[in-house]
Every structure is written in C-alpha cells, then in structure tokens.
C-alpha cells in the first residue's frame, strides 16, 4: 500500500504543470453551451495543443499513436489538467475514450491508420450510436439493420440519445447484420461517416435546456464493409471492449472537479452565513469525506489496472455506482447553500445540478450497474 | 504509486484470518454469546461490578494471550522494544480480520496501550479505554487498566501524547453495570470517566473503522451466501433484483470503506481518518441491516449472527469518533482547504 509517486511520476507531473501554466492563459474563452460549432472548435483546438505538446492519447498504446503511458501517468494527467482548470475532453469524449481505444484494440492496420491519427490530432469528432428507441438497457435487442450490397452495407433504422451527433464526423454504430441469429450474435460494429447521404440528425432538448444529444435517422445509408471493426456478427464482443473503456477512466478528472466545487461551496456558505447551520455544515463535511474516499478509490483502481496490464476491471462499476450518486448529492447540497437562489437558472452550479441527473442513467443505469456487480462480482444467479 | 496490498501484507492478512478461523470460528462466537447470556459480564447485571469476576466473561484470556503471541497488540512497537515493527496499514489489515470474525474485547485500546501498559503488548493484560460518550466504558470489569486518564501526572511515552494507565479497579469502584445492547460488549457507567488521551483518538478511530470494514465485508458475504441458497418462487432469492441490488449496494459500501481505511492508514491524516470512520461506520451499520433484510424472518432471530454484527457496529459507531464529530472535523478541514488558493 503506497500512495507516494515515483520520481519519474513526479517529474512527469512537474513538466505537465509547467506546460499547463504556460498554455492555459493563451486559450480563447469558453464558448456558450449552445454554441455547438464554437464548442467543437474549442474542444478540437485544445486537443491539437495536447497533440503538439506530446500529451495526446497518453494512455493509448504506442503502436496506435499513443504515448504508452502507465495508468498512473494518465491519472496524473487527468488530475493536473482538471486542477488547472483545463478544458474538459468535451466533444472528443467518444473518440479519445472509447471508439479510439476500441479501434486500437480490434481494428486492422488500415483502420488504425485511417481513424486514430485524426482523433489524436484533434481533426475529427466521433459519436456513439448504440442506443435505440427500443433498445436502451437491453442494448442487444437493437434493430437498426445493415444489409450487405456489394462492398457496402445498406443501413436503415434509428438511434437515440447520441451525444455530440450534431458536430460528429464519425459514428461508432451498432447494427444488426443477421436478423435470424440469437440477439447477441447478429450484431456488427461499424464506423459510419456522419455526412453520408441518408443520415438525418434531429437534436433533442435535454432537461437542462441544451441540445446535448440527438436522435439519428438512418435511411439506406451506405457504409463500406471495410468500415466494419471486428468480424461480421461479432460486434457484441467488440461492444464489450468499448464499454469497459467507457467505464474505466471516464470519471477520474471529474472527482477532482467535484472537490474544487466543494471548496467553492464552503467559501460561499461561509460568506453568506449559511455555514453556521450545523446540518448544512455537517453535510458538506460528509461530502468532503466522500469525495476524498472516491479519489482514493480511483487511485486504488488505477493501481489495480497497472498491475493487471491496463485492463479496466470491475472496480469501474463499483466506482460508477457510488460516484453518480455522490455527484447528485453534491449539487443538491449546492442548492441548499444557494437557497432560493438555486431557482435562478443562470446561477453557478444550477446547470451542473441539472446535468448531474443524467449520471445515474448514461453509460448504463444504476440498476444495470447493480445487476453487473451482483452477477459478475458477487456471483448471484441471473434473473429471468 | 502502487496503492495495492504488498505480498507481505496479503500474507499477514491471510495468516490472521486463518488464526481467527481456527481459534474464534462460529462455534466459539456462539459459545461466548451463550456464556455472556448465562450471567457473564454481558448480562443485565445490576449493582456494582466485581472486577475479580473475569473467568466467565466475554474476553477469552487464553485467546488474548495467543493474539499477543501472534503480534496482534505489539504489531507497531519497534522490534527493539520487542514488537513487530510494522505500521498502521498492517494494523488496519489485522483489525479488518478481527472485525470480520466479530472478535470481542477492547482490542483497539489494548493495541494502543502496547508499550505503555505492562503486559498489553504480549496480551497478558486487557486494557480498555474511555472511548465512548455518555459516561459509558466497555469491558471495565474484565480489564486490568484503563488507557489515558485526565488530571494524573503523565507518563510520557517517547514522542507521544501523555498516556496514563489507571488500574481498572480504581475506575470500577464507582461503576454501575448497565444492560448492554450488544451481548459481547459489557458496559458500565461511571460518574467521572477517565478521558481517553487526545493522542490516541485518531488511531483509535482508524482501527475501529478497520473493525467496522471487516464486519461490513462479512455481512455482505453472509447475505450473498444466503441469497444463493434460500429458494422462493422456485428460484434462489438472489435471482430477484430487489435482493440483488441490496447485495450490490452492500459490496459498494464495504469496498469504498475498505479503500478509505487503507488510504487513511497510509497517510495517518486526521481528516482522512475521520472520513474513513464515517464511511466505515455507515458501511457496517447499513450492511448489517441489509443483511438482516436479505435473511427475512431468519434474520430477526437470535440464531442468525447478523444481529451480533449490527449491535457491535452500533457500539463501534459511538467509539473514538461519532458521525457528528467526524463530520465537524471534516467540515473544518474543508474550510481550511478552501481558504487556500
Ligand atoms: C446524457 C445522456 C447521454 C447519452 N449518450 C449516449 C450516446 O452518446 N450514445 C448512446 O448510444 N447512448 C447514449 N445514452 C443512452 C444511455 O446509454 C441509455 O439512456 C441508458 O443505457 C438507459 O437506456 P434507456 O434510456 O432506454 O432506459 P431503459 O432501458 O428504458 O430503462 C428505463 C428504466 O428501467 C430500468 N431498467 C431497464 N432494464 C432493467 C433491468 N433489467 N433491471 C432493472 N431495471 C431496469 C432502468 O434502470 C431505468 O430506470 C445517453 C443517455 C444520457 C442520459
């Protein structure tokens, strides 16, 4: 049990910190949440800077264009960038955190050469077309069909809740290539260009008022068969690879951010006198303990991944269950600090309170995560 | 950074688990409960306590000595002083196992007294502490000394806070036994309880949190095992999601507490220890409740062990640092941290 960082790790941190100190003041201001083209440009611009400085794809394997850094270095990267207030991964989320790693793990040499460098350079944005109107938690029941026609698949169906679809160049798309096979067996994983004829994106308004995700209609969209990652009908296995990446490291930086928010809440409560309310004060104290523990849990999981060769383990589900709840608790407490001010939509923390409501749903609901913990970790029997 | 157990730490934990499984398995636990019921120190005795009545009590002196011989109490004493020379992380692992086995006795206080109170390190002496509020002291009649008293000339241990041992008999003179909710934690009320030395509070809280974590992990295991065996509606109840989700939450609570305790043991930071105690108390208490729920009517019986875990968890939640104290300490620490740029 060792929480100290090696000399090499500390040196890495120091260099990164120095670079952040230099580059962050030069960044253009953050665009407004509704300015999608602006957000795309901003996020890609940040990715480009990371690339030029040698920090792009830190945790990707070196033969996929990454830096082959250890999980601990990746952790330090996420911690330092968040602490310094660097831009969030944003629109690059899918490309960097799961489509990219999936292609690196399962793609052919040509596929890696075609898709990975633009993700790292900040040239292209990816989105995730998994969920459908009738296939959410039961993802394997998806119905979007892909019929082989010469060198192409012809894809027809619809996807929903596709984050960043409006600004994406590519979509990691799950399609049914064998309608007669058992439901997990007839699925394939395709890279679909978002500008292909037949793709229609209709933004959906979230409860926070913004258009964070969209509905996608696919009407006889031609996708080259060469864009299939993995074998035909073997897409479910590839999907599991994707999901393990999605749950693996996605929330690390956010825990650091939550600790910053908590400190700001304490300052606010102090300046308004709300701090003198022992119930509120104790609630904030408890959250401080909670997020401290979540940070330690992150370090624990990362150390575990480092020992087992970088594969995110089941610790991700334990973390996600606890974190999603803690984040909601944090912003509910923020509302308590604000009092009636929490009803003003433009106040700090109010938008975050709204968006925190998605954390127990997106990337697998808490109910599904609990099934995973119960069945895969505790070995309880599968339900009917 | 390698925040995982070392090989030696795994071996240590496995060794203690084996020792306790052999020496304090379920039969020994239930026999202790029966003894306590039959008029031992845990029963609702009235009037004064007899400090000499140690034979049929809750603390098994033979086992206490064996624990001493295995280094349980001297774990953190330097080797030069006859100790094992290990640190807080190792102590946390060992106490986690004791919590899992539901081992009774003032384990934490005796461990803290090693090096101060003669005989504590070797398990020859049983030492308790005034680590509870409300003027209550646990295991007083069975103890040889009470750790840390106020107002006495202090015997200073190298570099540590003043720690004073008073003979248990002195404190016991005015003690009145009260009925204890936990059959294996006899309680007395004293009008002027000695105050546990401030220097022990953080470590006491940490080791108690480790005991709580062990209990939380154990009740999770008990619930999962029962859920796999017990059938209703033609299938194991563990196939029902309502039950599954109770179990999943138990694991999450226990794992978060465990990692929090380990980290606090590594840093020994008072705020981190307070956070660990808070989470471990909650994990132990809520896991015991959920375990009881998973066991249905069986869970409400004296026969099932789960009530013993719950009652002990309640006791420990009042020891060294209560939730309110821990939250206040954390709040103060948060404000300090927030003041920094
Ligand atoms: C902000 C946000 C962004 C998203 N981004 C994307 C994206 O980019 N790409 C993408 O493909 N998807 C995305 N999703 C979709 C997300 O993965 C799904 O919403 C999620 O998996 C749940 O599916 P569902 O919405 O159909 O709910 P349903 O599956 O219909 O679930 C409804 C309720 O029933 C419960 N339930 C369902 N099945 C079970 C079961 N077996 N046991 C117990 N309870 C059950 C659920 O927990 C939930 O409470 C996003 C969602 C959100 C909220």
């Amino acid at each position: 049990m060792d929480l100290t960082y090696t000399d090499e790790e500390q040196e890495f941190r120091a260099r990164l910190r120095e670079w952040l100190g230099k580059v962050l003041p030069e960044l253009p201001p953050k665009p407004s949440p509704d300015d999608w083209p602006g957000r795309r440009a901003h996020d890609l611009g940040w990715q480009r800077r990371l690339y030029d400085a040698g920090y792009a794809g830190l945790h990707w394997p070196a033969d996929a264009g990454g830096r082959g850094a250890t999980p601990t270095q990746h952790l330090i990267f996420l911690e330092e960038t968040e602490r310094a207030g660097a831009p969030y991964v944003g629109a690059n989320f899918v490309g960097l955190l799961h489509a990219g790693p999936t292609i690196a793990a399962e793609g052919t040499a040509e596929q890696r050469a075609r898709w990975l460098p633009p993700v790292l350079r900040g040239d292209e944005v990816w989105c995730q077309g998994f969920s459908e109107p009738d296939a959410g938690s039961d993802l394997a029941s998806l119905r979007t069909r892909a019929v082989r026609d010469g060198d192409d698949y012809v894809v027809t169906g619809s996807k929903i809740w596709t984050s960043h679809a409006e600004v994406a160049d590519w979509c990691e798309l799950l399609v049914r290539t064998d309608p007669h096979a058992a439901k997990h067996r007839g699925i394939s994983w395709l890279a679909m260009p978002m500008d292909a004829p037949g793709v229609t994106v209709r933004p959906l308004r979230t409860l926070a008022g913004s258009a964070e995700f969209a509905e996608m209609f696919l009407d006889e969209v031609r996708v080259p068969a060469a864009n299939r990652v993995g074998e035909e009908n073997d897409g479910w296995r590839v999907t599991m690879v994707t999901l393990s990446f999605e749950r693996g490291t996605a929330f690390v930086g956010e825990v650091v951010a939550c600790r910053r928010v908590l400190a700001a809440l304490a300052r606010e409560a102090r300046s308004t006198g709300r701090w003198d309310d022992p119930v509120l004060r104790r609630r904030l104290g408890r959250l401080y303990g909670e997020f401290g523990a979540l940070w330690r849990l992150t370090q624990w999981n990362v150390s575990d991944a480092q020992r087992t060769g970088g594969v995110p383990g089941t610790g991700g589900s334990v973390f996600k269950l606890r974190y999603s709840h803690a984040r909601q608790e944090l912003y509910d407490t923020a509302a308590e600090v604000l009092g009636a001010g929490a009803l003003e939509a433009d106040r700090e923390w109010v938008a975050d309170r709204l968006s925190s409501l998605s954390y127990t749903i997106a990337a697998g609901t808490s109910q599904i995560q609990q099934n995973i913990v119960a069945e895969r970790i505790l070995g309880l029997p599968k339900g009917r | 950074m390698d925040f995982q157990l070392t090989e030696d730490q795994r071996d240590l934990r496995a060794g203690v688990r084996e020792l306790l499984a052999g020496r304090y398995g379920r039969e020994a636990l239930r026999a202790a409960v029966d003894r306590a019921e039959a008029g031992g120190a845990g029963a609702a005795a009235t009037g004064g306590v007899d400090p000499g009545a140690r034979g049929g009590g809750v603390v098994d002196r033979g086992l206490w000595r064996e624990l001493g011989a295995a280094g349980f109490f001297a774990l953190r004493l330097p080797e030069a002083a006859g100790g094992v020379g290990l640190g807080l992380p190792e102590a946390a692992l060992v106490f986690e196992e004791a919590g899992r086995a539901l081992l009774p006795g003032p384990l934490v206080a005796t461990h803290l007294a090693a090096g101060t109170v003669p005989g504590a390190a070797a398990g020859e002496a049983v030492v308790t502490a005034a680590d509870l509020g409300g003027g209550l002291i646990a295991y007083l009649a069975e103890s040889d000394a009470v750790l840390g008293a106020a107002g006495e000339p202090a015997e200073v241990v190298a570099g540590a806070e003043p720690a004073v041992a008073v003979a248990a008999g002195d404190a016991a003179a005015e003690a009145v036994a009260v009925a204890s909710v936990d059959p294996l934690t006899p309680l007395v009320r004293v009008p002027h309880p000695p105050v546990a030395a401030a220097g022990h509070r953080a470590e006491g809280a940490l080791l108690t949190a480790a005991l709580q974590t062990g209990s939380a992990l154990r009740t999770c295991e008990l619930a999962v095992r029962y859920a796999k065996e017990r059938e209703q509606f033609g299938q194991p109840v563990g196939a029902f999601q309502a039950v599954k989700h109770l179990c999943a939450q138990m694991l999450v609570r226990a794992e978060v507490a465990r990692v929090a305790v380990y980290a606090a043991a590594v840093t020994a930071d008072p705020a981190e220890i307070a956070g660990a105690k808070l989470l471990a108390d909650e994990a132990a208490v809520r896991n015991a409740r959920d375990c009881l729920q998973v066991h249905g009517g069986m869970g409400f019986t004296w026969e099932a062990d789960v009530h013993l875990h719950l009652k002990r968890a309640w006791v420990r939640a009042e020891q060294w640092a209560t939730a309110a104290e821990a939250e206040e300490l954390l709040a103060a620490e948060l404000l300090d941290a927030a003041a920094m740029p």
Side-chain angles (χ1 to χ4, degrees):
Chain A
M1 270 188 247
D2 185 6
L3 283 163
T4 56
Y5 292 89
T6 64
D7 287 349
E8 203 189 346
E9 287 161 353
Q10 273 168 344
E11 196 184 306
F12 173 80
R13 186 192 293 277
R15 258 186 291 122
L16 174 61
R17 201 176 272 190
E18 191 189 332
W19 178 74
L20 286 167
K22 211 162 59 195
V23 74
L24 289 182
E26 300 167 1
L27 280 192
K30 241 172 110 174
S32 87
D34 293 330
D35 174 11
W36 273 104
R39 280 175 67 175
R40 176 187 155 106
H42 185 262
D43 296 348
L44 289 179
W46 172 240
Q47 183 60 29
R48 180 70 200 206
R49 277 172 200 260
L50 289 172
Y51 179 80
D52 289 341
Y55 289 117
L58 212 52
H59 62 303
W60 286 22
D63 66 355
R67 316 294 299 177
T70 62
T72 302
Q73 284 174 323
H74 187 219
L75 176 86
I76 293 170
F77 173 80
L78 294 169
E79 186 188 8
E80 286 298 321
T81 45
E82 183 54 54
R83 181 174 285 160
Y88 180 58
V89 60
N92 292 311
F93 183 87
V94 173
L96 276 175
L97 295 179
H98 44 95
T102 303
I103 293 166
E106 301 287 333
T108 63
E110 295 90 66
Q111 290 174 335
R112 291 160 141 228
R114 167 62 192 90
W115 287 310
L116 298 183
V119 169
L120 294 181
R121 275 199 310 265
D123 289 343
E124 289 178 349
V125 169
W126 284 69
C127 63
Q128 182 189 48
F130 284 11
S131 305
E132 296 184 7
D134 292 324
S137 300
D138 186 13
L139 183 58
S141 68
L142 61 91
R143 289 208 294 255
T144 291
R145 287 191 58 177
V147 181
R148 188 68 180 255
D149 180 28
D151 287 340
D152 293 339
Y153 287 109
V154 178
V155 180
T156 300
S158 70
K159 294 286 170 179
I160 198 164
W161 321 126
T162 317
S163 304
H164 304 123
E166 273 189 277
V167 293
D169 305 289
W170 293 94
C171 177
E172 49 171 2
L173 189 74
L174 291 187
V175 292
R176 185 157 301 283
T177 32
D178 182 355
H180 306 296
K183 69 180 189 177
H184 292 91
R185 299 258 167 76
I187 295 172
S188 298
W189 197 108
L190 302 181
M192 179 183 77
M194 290 296 283
D195 59 1
V199 178
T200 309
V201 172
R202 193 172 70 86
L204 291 165
R205 194 147 185 251
T206 72
L207 58 74
S210 63
E212 203 65 38
F213 47 35
E215 211 170 353
M216 225 164 47
F217 301 96
L218 308 172
D219 181 17
E220 303 202 340
V221 180
R222 297 192 82 87
V223 179
N227 287 17
R228 191 190 63 234
V229 174
E231 295 302 309
E232 186 169 278
N233 298 328
D234 192 29
W236 187 251
R237 192 187 55 76
V238 182
T239 304
M240 291 302 110
V241 174
T242 310
L243 292 182
S244 79
F245 284 115
E246 182 170 8
R247 286 162 199 164
T249 45
F251 304 105
V252 172
E254 294 189 11
V255 175
V256 182
C258 286
R259 302 223 287 172
R260 274 209 329 229
V261 169
L262 202 52
L265 283 177
R267 281 194 295 272
E268 173 79 10
R270 189 60 193 266
S271 77
T272 58
R274 295 281 284 130
W275 185 259
D276 298 332
D277 172 355
V279 176
L280 177 62
R281 186 174 64 234
R282 283 180 53 185
R283 197 170 174 191
L284 287 165
R286 176 171 281 264
L287 279 168
Y288 188 61
E290 175 76 20
F291 280 101
L294 281 168
W295 175 246
R296 296 309 191 191
L297 185 59
T298 302
Q299 291 178 312
W300 180 267
N301 287 342
V302 165
S303 291
D304 184 42
Q306 190 139 315
R307 280 204 185 177
T308 56
V311 188
T314 37
S317 287
V318 170
F319 180 86
K320 192 199 180 251
L321 271 169
R322 185 78 173 213
Y323 172 67
S324 55
H325 178 80
R327 188 180 173 97
Q328 291 173 355
E329 172 86 18
L330 171 69
Y331 286 107
D332 280 346
T333 309
E336 220 180 295
V337 171
L338 291 173
L343 303 177
E344 298 174 43
D346 291 338
R347 283 289 283 269
E348 195 181 5
W349 304 314
V350 175
D352 290 314
R353 184 188 193 197
L354 292 172
S355 75
S356 77
L357 298 170
S358 75
Y359 277 68
T360 44
I361 298 170
T365 67
S366 289
Q367 285 69 38
I368 296 297
Q369 298 296 330
Q370 288 179 105
N371 289 348
I372 290 173
V373 168
E375 289 167 11
R376 296 198 208 145
I377 304 182
L378 297 176
L380 287 170
K382 275 202 177 300
R384 284 176 293 185
Chain B
M1 183 194 65
D2 183 16
F3 186 33
Q4 295 281 307
L5 268 52
T6 64
E7 208 55 44
D8 286 348
Q9 287 169 336
R10 282 173 206 277
D11 290 349
L12 174 70
R13 187 169 67 173
V16 176
R17 185 175 299 189
E18 202 177 321
L19 170 83
L20 290 176
R23 224 13 210 89
Y24 202 76
R26 179 153 202 274
E27 275 174 32
L29 169 69
R30 298 308 304 210
V33 173
D34 291 345
R35 270 202 310 280
E37 278 289 282
T46 48
V49 265
D50 173 10
R54 288 188 183 130
V58 170
V59 177
D60 174 346
R61 291 268 173 166
L63 174 56
W64 209 255
R65 271 183 221 105
E66 277 179 58
L67 288 172
F72 192 95
F73 302 116
L75 196 73
R76 291 188 301 138
L77 278 189
E79 285 177 55
V84 188
L86 293 172
L88 262 186
E90 286 77 19
L93 291 173
V94 164
F95 274 76
E96 179 185 315
E97 290 306 318
R100 180 189 285 273
L102 211 47
L103 196 64
L107 295 159
V108 172
T110 304
H111 178 95
L112 294 174
T116 310
V117 176
E124 297 294 335
V126 175
V127 184
T128 189
D131 52 12
L132 282 166
L136 294 175
I137 302 186
Y139 302 107
L140 186 63
E142 301 193 61
S143 297
D144 303 304
V146 184
L147 182 69
E152 300 284 322
E155 176 191 338
V156 180
V157 194
E161 288 275 324
V164 177
V166 297
D170 298 348
E174 302 171 88
V176 178
V178 298
S180 171
V181 69
D182 175 14
L184 293 182
T185 308
L187 295 174
V188 297
R189 173 169 289 118
V190 290
H192 307 292
V195 178
H200 292 307
R201 289 206 85 85
E203 290 184 354
L206 177 77
L207 296 175
T208 307
L211 291 167
Q212 296 283 54
T213 301
S215 173
L217 287 160
R218 181 71 186 137
T219 46
C220 180
E221 279 170 16
L222 290 173
V224 169
R225 194 172 70 196
Y226 192 77
K228 284 179 184 171
E229 285 167 2
R230 170 74 175 166
E231 292 197 4
Q232 289 293 290
F233 299 98
Q235 58 179 333
V237 295
F240 298 116
Q241 235 172 25
V243 173
K244 231 177 238 185
H245 289 189
L246 283 175
C247 294
Q249 285 300 339
M250 290 170 78
L251 182 80
V252 170
R253 269 185 228 122
E255 286 297 320
V256 173
R258 189 217 294 256
V259 172
V261 166
Y262 291 174
V266 171
T267 64
D269 171 67
E272 187 145 22
I273 288 174
K277 178 70 164 47
L278 196 58
L279 297 184
D281 285 346
E282 186 179 80
V285 170
R286 292 199 50 192
N287 275 17
R289 296 186 102 115
D290 286 353
C291 179
L292 196 155
Q293 184 68 23
V294 168
H295 278 75
M298 178 53 89
F300 195 67
T301 66
W302 190 265
E303 192 65 21
D305 292 343
V306 54
H307 71 106
L308 299 173
H309 278 280
L310 178 59
K311 291 164 178 173
R312 190 76 56 81
W314 280 339
V315 171
R316 292 181 187 132
E318 296 298 322
Q319 283 175 317
W320 298 106
T322 62
E325 287 162 356
E327 285 169 352
E328 288 289 3
L329 191 152
L330 284 160
E333 184 74 13
L334 167 62
L335 207 55
D336 269 2
M340 297 200 294

